[in-house]
Amino acid sequence: MCSFCFARSFTCKMTGSVTEPKYNDILCPNLHSKVELVEEGSQYCTLPELGTNEKSIKEEQKKGKAKDQSKLAYSVTDVPPWYLCILLGIQHFLTALGGLVAIPLILSKELCLQHDLLTQSHLISTIFFVSGICTLLQVFFGVRLPIIQGGTFAFLTPTLAMLSLPHWKCPAWTQNASLVNASSPEFTEVWQTRMREVQGAIMVASCFQILVGFSGLIGFLMRFIGPLTIAPTITLVALPLFESAGQEAGEHWGIAVMTIVFIVLFSQFLKNVPVPLPAYQRAKKCHFSRIYLFQIFPVLLGLSLTWLMCFVFTVTNVFPSNPEAYGYLARTDIKVGVLSQAPWFRFPYPGQWGVPTVSLAGVFGFIAGVISSMLESVGDYYACARLSGAPPPPKHAINRGIGVEGIGSLLAGAWGTGNGTTSYSENVGALGITRVGSRMVIVAGGCVMLLTGIFGKIGAMFASIPTPVIGGMLIVMFGIITAVGISNLQYADMNSSRNLFIFGFAIFAGLTIPHWVKTHSQVLETGIIQLDQVIQVLLTTGMFVGGFLGFVLDNTIPGSKEERGILAWKESHGVESGESQLLPEVYSLPFGIGTKLCTASWVRHIPVCPKRPSGSIRKEEPKTLGEENSVPTGSEQDAEMGIDTKI
C-alpha cells in the first residue's frame, strides 16, 4: 500500500523507499501499481506487481478498503483532551436520552403514576443516576469497551405482564386526576407497593445474570442459541407494546405524526448532510467544522422541534383548554407545574421507595428479559470492538461484561428505576459516526449521567413532555427495535422451509398466546395462587413464548449449522481471534488488578480472569495502543481485522 503523507512524499510498502510525488503521474513512483485517489488524499495500490499471487491481491485490497472506512480520531485506549471528552460525553448522553426517558414514562401508567408528574421526574432522575454508575462499572471493570449502559426495553414486557395481574391493577380512582392527591399516604402506598414488587423481581433475576456471566455459562448457552432464537425474542420485545404507543400518540395524531416526520427526516433523509458549526483547534484556530448533526441527534432534534411547536400552539390557543376535549394533552402548560415543584438537587439512594418485595411470578418473567438482554449485549460488544479499533473481545471480557450488567441490574433494582440495565446499541452506532472510540469519552458520559440524575429540575423537564410527542417517539423507537430483531435472520437461510416455519410460528404464537391468556386467565387457574401467577406472567410475556418456541424448534428440528445461521452469525460477530498483543492492553483489569491477582496459574482458570499469553506473542509490547498504531507497517492484528487504528 502506498500512502500520501502530509510531508508530500510517497512511502512504498514493498521497498520502504520514500519518493517525491508527481501529481500528473498515474503510476506509483516505484512503478508497482496504478494509484487510486480516495478521500483525504490517501492513495492505495490497486494493481499488484507481477508475480504476486491472487490471494495476497485480495487481502491487500480488503485491507485498503477497511482502512479507508475506519480511520479513527481516537482509539479505545487513547485519551482525548479533557474538553473533548466532556463534549463527546454529553453527546453520548443525548444519544441515549430517548430510551432513558421513554422507559419511566411508559411504566408510569402501570404504576398508577400517570397523574403524578413529580414522581415521574424522580424516576427519570433515578434512571439517569443509576445508568451513570453502571456505565462507569462496565468501562472500568466489565468488558472495558466504550459502551453506554442504560435501561432496557427487554424488561418492559415482563414488567407490564406482572403489573397486569388482577392483584396489581390500579384502582379506578387513580385514573381520575381530580381524585388523586399525590402527597397522600394512601396514594403513595398504592404506587410504591407496585414499585417494590418490580424491584424485588429485578434484583432476583439479575442474580441469574450475574451467575451466567461470572461462571462463564454465557459461552455454553451461545452454543444452542442462534438467529432463529434471537430474532423472535428481540422482535417480541417491541411488538406487544404497540397498544401503549398507540394510546400515547392517539391523544393528538397530528402532533405524533409531526414527531415521526421530523425523526424520519433527520435520521434518513438528512443524515448525510453536514452542518457547519463553529469550532476551535490550535492549528486552525477558530473555524467552521462540518458535523453530521442530523445523523447524531435525530430523536433529540425531532422531539425538541415538535415540543416547540406544541408550545406555539398552546400560546395561540390552537389546542383546546377543556380537559375532556381531544388534543388537550398536547398542551405544554398542563405539565409545567412539575418544574416548580421539583427540587434543584435530589440524591437518589437505594431503597428510596421502601424495602423490595419478591414474588415467584415476577422473577420467572424477568429471567426471560435477562436472557434477551444478554443476547443483545454480546452482539453489541463485538460491534463496539470493531468501531473502536479494538480486537474482538475474548471470552473473559465477555463474561465480565455480562456479569457487570447483572450487577448493574441489581443496582437498578435496589435504587428503584423500575427497570434493569443493558448495553445501548445506538451509542455503539455513534462511535462509527464520530470516529472517536476512546473509553475515556464514555467515562465522561457516565459522569454526565450521574450529575443530571442529581439535578432534579432536569428530570422534571423531561417529565413535562406532551403525551402525543412521547407517542410519536415510541412508534419510531419500537419500530426500530422490531427491525433489529428481524435483521438477525440475515444469517439464516430464509429460503429454507424449516426456518420459515420456525420464525413465523414463534412470532405468531408469541402474539396469540399472550392475548388469549389475558382474556381467559380463569381457564388456567390451578387453585394454587403462586403457580397461577407464574403461569400467567410467563404466558403473557410474548418474548418468552416466542423465544422459547424458537429455541426448542431450532434445536430439535433437523438442520445444519449453516442452514440455521449459527456459523454465519459467529463469523460476523468476530469469533475470538486468539492471541494478540493488544488484548491485554484493552481488556485487562485496571489499576494493576490483572497483574496482581490473575498471575497465579490456578486463578487463570476463573472465567473472568485474562488468560496467560503464549510465547508466540512478542515480549516487548507497546505501552499504549496509540504507540502500536504508530508503527508504519501496522500490527498483525490490525491486518486481520482490516482496521486502521492510527490517530
Side-chain angles (χ1 to χ4, degrees):
M1 183 187 72
C2 295
S3 354
F4 181 37
C5 68
F6 290 105
R8 295 188 176 180
S9 61
F10 288 99
T11 302
C12 186
K13 181 178 178 181
M14 300 179 184
T15 63
S17 60
V18 179
T19 309
E20 289 297 321
K22 297 180 180 179
Y23 295 101
N24 56 352
D25 286 350
I26 61 171
L27 295 178
C28 166
N30 295 292
L31 301 178
H32 284 142
S33 64
K34 290 186 178 180
V35 175
E36 177 188 0
L37 293 176
V38 295
E39 188 180 0
E40 297 182 2
S42 299
Q43 301 188 5
Y44 296 101
C45 297
T46 56
L47 297 177
E49 185 182 17
L50 293 176
T52 307
N53 59 53
E54 184 178 355
K55 183 177 180 180
S56 62
I57 297 173
K58 293 181 178 179
E59 289 179 355
E60 287 295 323
Q61 291 176 344
K62 185 177 180 181
K63 293 176 192 175
K65 182 178 179 181
K67 287 176 181 290
D68 180 47
Q69 296 175 346
S70 305
K71 295 180 177 66
L72 291 172
Y74 297 95
S75 60
V76 61
T77 55
D78 293 328
V79 180
W82 64 270
Y83 57 87
L84 193 59
C85 285
I86 294 175
L87 292 176
L88 293 175
I90 294 174
Q91 173 182 276
H92 275 283
F93 165 68
L94 295 176
T95 303
L97 189 62
L100 292 173
V101 172
I103 290 171
L105 295 179
I106 294 173
L107 287 177
S108 61
K109 183 177 181 180
E110 301 301 326
L111 292 172
C112 316
L113 290 172
Q114 65 267 42
H115 299 302
D116 185 0
L117 299 179
L118 183 60
T119 302
Q120 290 183 30
S121 70
H122 293 339
L123 290 178
I124 293 174
S125 297
T126 302
I127 200 171
F128 284 167
F129 186 81
V130 174
S131 297
I133 295 176
C134 297
T135 298
L136 296 177
L137 287 176
Q138 188 67 266
V139 174
F140 283 117
F141 302 105
V143 72
R144 304 218 66 206
L145 287 170
I147 193 164
I148 288 284
Q149 302 290 292
T152 169
F153 286 99
F155 278 37
L156 268 183
T157 306
T159 303
L160 299 180
M162 186 181 75
L163 294 177
S164 67
L165 293 173
H167 179 62
W168 295 117
K169 286 187 177 179
C170 294
W173 61 271
T174 62
Q175 313 298 316
N176 190 336
S178 61
L179 299 178
V180 172
N181 180 6
S183 59
S184 67
E186 182 183 5
F187 177 75
T188 302
E189 185 65 18
V190 166
W191 74 264
Q192 285 191 357
T193 52
R194 287 158 176 76
M195 174 60 82
R196 291 196 292 266
E197 188 73 10
V198 173
Q199 287 181 252
I202 291 174
M203 293 177 71
V204 176
S206 64
C207 294
F208 171 75
Q209 185 172 5
I210 294 172
L211 175 64
V212 170
F214 290 123
S215 66
L217 281 176
I218 184 65
F220 174 77
L221 293 176
M222 294 305 292
R223 298 179 184 178
F224 305 98
I225 296 175
L228 292 174
T229 302
I230 299 172
T233 301
I234 297 179
T235 301
L236 289 168
V237 168
L239 278 183
L241 298 174
F242 73 91
E243 186 176 357
S244 174
Q247 288 178 350
E248 301 284 319
E251 296 296 342
H252 196 294
W253 276 107
I255 295 300
V257 170
M258 184 185 300
T259 305
I260 295 171
V261 168
F262 278 137
I263 295 176
V264 172
L265 177 66
F266 297 145
S267 65
Q268 303 302 322
F269 293 98
L270 299 179
K271 62 180 180 180
N272 295 322
V273 177
V275 178
L277 296 176
Y280 177 82
Q281 290 180 352
R282 291 183 179 179
K284 299 181 180 180
K285 301 299 180 182
C286 293
H287 66 286
F288 283 91
S289 179
R290 294 168 39 158
I291 306 295
Y292 291 91
L293 201 64
F294 302 121
Q295 191 176 22
I296 299 174
F297 304 125
V299 175
L300 182 66
L301 291 174
L303 186 148
S304 301
L305 285 177
T306 313
W307 198 353
L308 179 62
M309 295 301 298
C310 287
F311 173 75
V312 173
F313 293 151
T314 300
V315 172
T316 56
N317 290 321
V318 174
F319 294 141
S321 57
N322 182 5
E324 302 298 327
Y326 175 79
Y328 174 75
L329 291 180
R331 296 182 65 93
T332 57
D333 55 358
I334 59 177
K335 295 183 177 182
V336 72
V338 69
L339 288 172
S340 59
Q341 297 174 12
W344 279 102
F345 299 98
R346 181 182 179 275
F347 194 85
Y349 57 92
Q352 57 186 334
W353 319 128
V355 179
T357 57
V358 180
S359 67
L360 195 61
V363 171
F364 278 98
F366 277 102
I367 286 178
V370 164
I371 294 174
S372 174
S373 176
M374 288 191 295
L375 297 179
E376 185 181 2
S377 293
V378 171
D380 288 339
Y381 295 161
Y382 286 109
C384 184
R386 286 198 303 269
L387 293 174
S388 61
K395 290 181 180 178
H396 66 83
I398 294 176
N399 293 337
R400 286 203 313 269
I402 296 299
V404 169
E405 281 193 16
I407 294 176
S409 294
L410 184 67
L411 297 178
W415 257 265
T417 65
N419 202 255
T421 185
T422 190
S423 301
Y424 264 33
S425 303
E426 50 265 52
N427 289 87
V428 174
L431 297 176
I433 297 172
T434 62
R435 302 299 187 193
V436 176
S438 172
R439 56 188 170 207
M440 291 307 298
V441 168
I442 304 301
V443 170
C447 295
V448 170
M449 287 191 285
L450 279 173
L451 292 176
T452 53
I454 296 174
F455 285 96
K457 296 291 186 184
I458 296 179
M461 180 182 66
F462 289 113
S464 64
I465 300 175
T467 302
V469 177
I470 299 170
M473 179 183 68
L474 293 181
I475 289 176
V476 176
M477 295 182 67
F478 291 160
I480 293 174
I481 294 172
T482 303
V484 168
I486 297 175
S487 68
N488 286 277
L489 296 176
Q490 64 183 300
Y491 306 112
D493 181 10
M494 295 313 293
N495 291 318
S496 167
S497 59
R498 169 194 183 274
N499 295 347
L500 289 174
F501 165 75
I502 293 174
F503 178 72
F505 178 74
I507 288 291
F508 200 76
L511 294 173
T512 305
I513 293 176
H515 177 72
W516 183 87
V517 172
K518 287 179 181 178
T519 55
H520 300 82
S521 59
Q522 68 279 0
V523 178
L524 300 175
E525 291 180 356
T526 63
I528 305 174
I529 297 178
Q530 292 79 6
L531 181 60
D532 291 344
Q533 291 179 346
V534 170
I535 294 174
Q536 187 168 350
V537 169
L538 289 180
L539 294 184
T540 54
T541 304
M543 56 182 290
F544 169 78
V545 175
F548 177 76
L549 291 175
F551 174 80
V552 172
L553 294 176
D554 189 34
N555 285 278
T556 54
I557 298 177
S560 65
K561 287 188 176 182
E562 183 178 3
E563 182 183 11
R564 296 168 61 190
I566 293 180
L567 292 179
W569 189 86
K570 288 182 178 179
E571 290 175 1
S572 68
H573 286 78
V575 177
E576 186 174 346
S577 58
E579 299 172 346
S580 167
Q581 61 219 33
L582 302 181
L583 287 177
E585 178 68 24
V586 177
Y587 297 109
S588 288
L589 292 168
F591 313 122
I593 297 176
T595 57
K596 294 177 182 178
L597 301 181
C598 296
T599 53
S601 57
W602 65 271
V603 174
R604 293 184 176 275
H605 294 290
I606 299 176
V608 297
C609 282
K611 308 303 178 187
R612 184 186 300 275
S614 67
S616 61
I617 301 179
R618 291 181 300 182
K619 295 182 179 179
E620 295 183 7
E621 296 182 353
K623 295 181 179 179
T624 63
L625 189 58
E627 292 181 20
E628 172 66 19
N629 295 333
S630 65
V631 179
T633 57
S635 66
E636 294 180 2
Q637 177 65 23
D638 286 342
E640 290 178 4
M641 293 175 60
I643 291 179
D644 183 8
T645 55
K646 183 185 296 184
I647 298 175

